[in-house]
Amino acid sequence: MNKSNYAWLMTESKPAHRWLFLSIMVGILSGIVIIIQSKLLSTIIDQVYLHHATLHTLSLLLIGFCLLIFLRVGFSALREIISFNSAKTIKTNLREKCFAHLMTLAPNQLSALKTGELTSTLIEQIEALHGFFADYFPQMVITVVLPLIILITVFTQNWLAGLLLLITAPLIPLFMALIGMGTAKLNQDNFEALSRMSAYFLDLLQGLTTLSLFNQARAQFNTIQTISNDYREKTMRILRIAFLSTATLELFSTISIAIIAVYLGLGLLGFLKIGFSGVHITLAQALFILLLAPEFFMPLRQLGTFYHARAEAIGAATEIINILKTNSNTKKPSSPVLFSEKNILINMEEVDFAYSDNKKILDHFSLTAPQGSCIAITGPSGVGKSTLLQLIAKFIYPQSGAIFANGINIMDIDDDSWREHITLLHQQIRLFHGSIFDNITLANLNASKNEVELAAQLAGVLDFTQHLPQKLNTPIGEQNSGLSGGQAQRVALARIILKDTPIVLLDEPTSHLDNANASIILNLLGTWRGKKTVIIATHDQKIVEMVDHVYELKLLGEKN
Ligand SMILES: Nc1ncnc2c1ncn2[C@@H]1O[C@H](COP(=O)(O)OP(=O)(O)O)[C@@H](O)[C@H]1O
Ligand SMILES: [Mg+2]
């Protein structure tokens, strides 16, 4: 799992390869500047201490030293910017990919995903990849190249010091790997806990009124507490490992540097001759090596601090891959038909549909609806009326049989192009945060103010907005808050009128409206008669009396 996640992260880095390369180059250049700077510093100290050089003779070296400081600052700022951009490119790309993938899923597949989890994945978990691409990935390459350059430099000064570095260096990654092995799994658990928590919070917030009504709000506190505690413990476990690995790193690099320092000291005092090819070590040389020794371990130590970013990314990858793996439950046509006809004959032929294997909703169901016809679908609750409308809207797909529009299977028609021809008034109305006006114009963003007002009037929206201080600009909250069920339904109806499509699907349009207001629907049916094809799922006797044709659905027995 970890390996494949890692491989996946590597493939996802492709769009930012140029940035990543730049970031690595700048990192290495900045390392080389440190080597030159150390050389300068050791020479300066040697000159001052042993050769009593004056400020005047050293001025060139000092200026060079200062310039290098600025260069390093510039490089680190540059690297910061480049790294940020590379991670941003990858994250944006990935988010677009996830959204594009979600759009290929059928709407009912989408609604089966938990909103809280989905949001957590798209926002937090993709964000969690930032450190991996911005820091860990470039540092990984730098950690291989830069110590090598330093090692070669040290070898040119003194082979034994070089050898000491060479021997101690591999111990660090070894210990790090041992410690790090468990972290990826822990991080994955952590993200699962976070997703679960997000999903739960969202559900709870959305259902708070209902829960309070049943006196259950308090009881939920305990569940939240358990979930949060679980999350806290998992996070602490990861932190413990992160601290432990940093401590290990520090310990090993400090020991190595100390050994080298002791060796150099003994060499300077003349107690040790090995490694100096018979010559006494100079102060400049010893200082240069001593300054380079910590720099040799620096990239590794930095990699160590970024190690959790790697584990975090590998953990987060699982959920993202899961979203991208959710297969669309249908094959999309390779070249979808763009549909642009005004006169549409709908033919459902022998359609079979079931949500699960053991319960068929539609069994060889056929229906014909010529343009301008008005059709009612009746039957007891749960029989499949809403399902039938969703099939026509292409929110779900038949298992066998087909729905044709002027002889073209709607499965072959481009989704957007098909939905330009139909509107569906859902049984559960969903309005969005914004004004009533905004919610209506959603149907046709090019509509003029007059057109919106006309639609609002026909749908009976003006009847209640005229008593409100802000009229049509009255804001509504999420989940229709601020409106009654009937009012929300009228707003949705105005939306449908404004969209003005040849086919209109209405799912129990009078269920929220009282008798007086049901006449709004009846009037609309009157004006649409002969022009629009209207298919209505309904129990309402008045509607049934008005339509051209009634299809009565019957409950099919459950298969065991
Ligand atoms: N998304 C779904 N997943 C699984 N079963 C569903 C889904 N939607 C509806 N059903 C089931 O399919 C049957 C028909 O539902 P529906 O079409 O909403 O009936 P109606 O609109 O006639 O009341 C019901 O038994 C319902 O429980
Ligand atoms: Mg229904």
Side-chain angles (χ1 to χ4, degrees):
M1 167 69 83
N2 282 349
K3 270 216 185 99
S4 63
N5 281 8
Y6 190 73
W8 177 79
L9 284 170
M10 286 298 170
T11 1
E12 289 307 315
S13 72
K14 268 192 196 122
H17 269 182
R18 214 177 293 164
W19 285 114
L20 286 168
F21 179 75
L22 264 181
S23 164
I24 292 167
M25 284 323 285
V26 174
I28 292 175
L29 277 179
S30 150
I32 292 176
V33 170
I34 294 180
I35 300 180
I36 302 173
Q37 219 180 6
S38 308
K39 179 77 189 162
L40 284 183
L41 187 63
S42 54
T43 315
I44 293 171
I45 295 178
D46 182 75
Q47 291 289 318
V48 173
Y49 194 66
L50 292 183
H51 301 93
H52 308 289
T54 58
L55 190 64
H56 181 68
T57 51
L58 287 179
S59 55
L60 219 60
L61 285 179
L62 284 171
I63 291 173
F65 187 76
C66 291
L67 282 181
L68 287 180
I69 291 182
F70 285 117
L71 199 61
R72 266 179 72 186
V73 172
F75 274 148
S76 34
L78 193 63
R79 201 177 149 198
E80 222 28 58
I81 295 170
I82 293 173
S83 301
F84 184 84
N85 271 320
S86 68
K88 197 180 83 178
T89 312
I90 296 168
K91 284 184 303 181
T92 311
N93 197 52
L94 208 55
R95 285 209 175 95
E96 278 168 5
K97 205 160 139 180
C98 282
F99 275 119
H101 184 75
L102 287 175
M103 295 314 270
T104 67
L105 302 182
N108 74 321
Q109 268 186 309
L110 265 183
S111 52
L113 297 168
K114 278 192 195 153
T115 324
E117 267 181 22
L118 208 57
T119 343
S120 150
T121 306
L122 289 174
I123 298 173
E124 280 137 28
Q125 317 217 354
I126 290 191
E127 203 51 49
L129 305 182
H130 186 96
F132 181 85
F133 292 116
D135 305 320
Y136 183 81
F137 189 115
Q139 191 62 28
M140 209 168 52
V141 183
I142 293 172
T143 306
V144 176
V145 180
L146 199 55
L148 205 65
I149 298 176
I150 295 181
L151 196 66
I152 293 171
T153 319
V154 172
F155 262 111
T156 63
Q157 302 297 308
N158 180 287
W159 65 266
L160 196 65
L163 199 64
L164 280 175
L165 285 182
L166 193 62
I167 293 169
T168 44
L171 285 179
I172 296 178
L174 188 75
F175 273 84
M176 293 295 296
L178 284 179
I179 294 172
M181 263 174 211
T183 19
K185 172 82 183 74
L186 277 181
N187 263 294
Q188 196 180 320
D189 283 355
N190 202 31
F191 275 116
E192 273 164 24
L194 180 65
S195 296
R196 222 174 315 132
M197 196 162 76
S198 309
Y200 193 77
F201 274 149
L202 194 68
D203 269 2
L204 205 64
L205 281 179
Q206 289 181 341
L208 206 56
T209 7
T210 318
L211 287 170
S212 309
L213 200 63
F214 290 106
N215 270 334
Q216 285 296 318
R218 290 232 150 256
Q220 297 299 327
F221 277 145
N222 291 335
T223 322
I224 290 187
Q225 203 161 24
T226 321
I227 295 183
S228 322
N229 254 336
D230 181 42
Y231 183 60
R232 182 184 58 82
E233 270 166 26
K234 289 201 161 101
T235 311
M236 289 315 285
R237 230 175 294 159
I238 291 173
L239 281 180
R240 259 204 303 274
I241 293 189
F243 287 137
L244 186 66
S245 53
T246 318
T248 320
L249 247 181
E250 295 295 324
L251 182 72
F252 273 93
S253 56
T254 312
I255 291 177
S256 318
I257 295 168
I259 294 176
I260 290 173
V262 169
Y263 163 69
L264 290 172
L266 291 178
L268 276 179
L269 292 172
F271 293 142
L272 255 181
K273 294 259 188 296
I274 329 165
F276 301 112
S277 342
V279 224
H280 268 287
I281 192 168
T282 62
L283 180 65
Q285 259 180 327
L287 273 178
F288 185 38
I289 295 173
L290 203 57
L291 286 172
L292 283 186
E295 295 304 332
F296 176 76
F297 294 104
M298 192 48 96
L300 245 181
R301 279 160 66 177
Q302 264 168 2
L303 190 68
T305 57
F306 297 149
Y307 203 78
H308 71 275
R310 173 186 188 270
E312 202 181 0
I314 287 183
T318 309
E319 304 273 317
I320 304 169
I321 295 174
N322 271 346
I323 287 194
L324 291 173
K325 253 193 345 211
T326 321
N327 272 329
S328 176
N329 57 9
T330 170
K331 282 188 226 69
K332 295 268 167 188
S334 51
S335 50
V337 180
L338 290 177
F339 194 77
S340 61
E341 291 170 49
K342 292 269 173 302
N343 239 318
I344 305 170
L345 168 70
I346 295 181
N347 256 323
M348 285 182 91
E349 286 183 13
E350 309 276 314
V351 167
D352 278 354
F353 182 83
Y355 287 105
S356 60
D357 290 341
N358 63 356
K359 189 175 171 232
K360 258 198 172 168
I361 308 283
L362 294 178
D363 188 19
H364 287 77
F365 181 82
S366 299
L367 169 154
T368 307
Q371 184 66 49
S373 58
C374 187
I375 287 171
I377 313 287
T378 60
S381 225
V383 75
K385 301 182 294 296
S386 302
T387 305
L388 182 64
L389 296 185
Q390 291 193 40
L391 278 164
I392 300 174
K394 232 182 134 182
F395 286 170
I396 45 179
Y397 314 126
Q399 270 104 26
S400 73
I403 303 167
F404 297 95
N406 294 350
I408 308 169
N409 189 336
I410 62 168
M411 296 309 290
D412 297 332
I413 298 176
D414 174 73
D415 287 353
D416 289 344
S417 164
W418 177 237
R419 292 195 193 116
E420 267 166 32
H421 296 80
I422 51 173
T423 40
L424 168 62
L425 181 76
H426 285 273
Q427 207 168 351
Q428 268 102 29
I429 306 295
R430 179 132 203 166
L431 300 178
F432 298 93
H433 180 76
S435 67
I436 293 179
F437 189 91
D438 294 339
N439 267 282
I440 299 175
T441 26
L442 202 63
N444 177 3
L445 295 175
N446 298 323
S448 68
K449 190 160 175 276
N450 280 343
E451 285 170 315
V452 176
E453 276 170 4
L454 185 66
Q457 189 205 338
L458 287 174
V461 175
L462 294 188
D463 296 348
F464 68 87
T465 52
Q466 65 180 346
H467 305 298
L468 301 170
Q470 285 174 273
K471 311 272 184 223
L472 273 184
N473 291 321
T474 306
I476 35 183
E478 276 167 41
Q479 306 203 343
N480 324 342
S481 73
L483 294 183
S484 75
Q487 288 171 336
Q489 201 171 36
R490 284 192 244 174
V491 174
L493 200 57
R495 205 145 71 177
I496 283 175
I497 297 169
L498 190 66
K499 194 170 168 196
D500 192 22
T501 54
I503 301 166
V504 177
L505 310 172
L506 304 174
D507 199 349
E508 316 227 6
T510 50
S511 60
H512 289 293
L513 305 177
D514 53 37
N515 270 342
N517 289 333
S519 62
I520 294 172
I521 298 281
L522 295 175
N523 282 340
L524 275 175
L525 291 183
T527 52
W528 286 339
R529 179 173 291 279
K531 298 184 195 104
K532 291 184 192 297
T533 304
V534 188
I535 303 178
I536 319 166
T538 189
H539 289 115
D540 196 320
Q541 199 50 40
K542 284 207 210 77
I543 292 183
V544 173
E545 281 163 13
M546 267 189 86
V547 300
D548 308 323
H549 201 95
V550 179
Y551 286 84
E552 190 181 350
L553 296 183
K554 297 235 159 43
L555 279 170
L556 303 172
E558 270 189 49
K559 254 197 316 200
N560 290 317

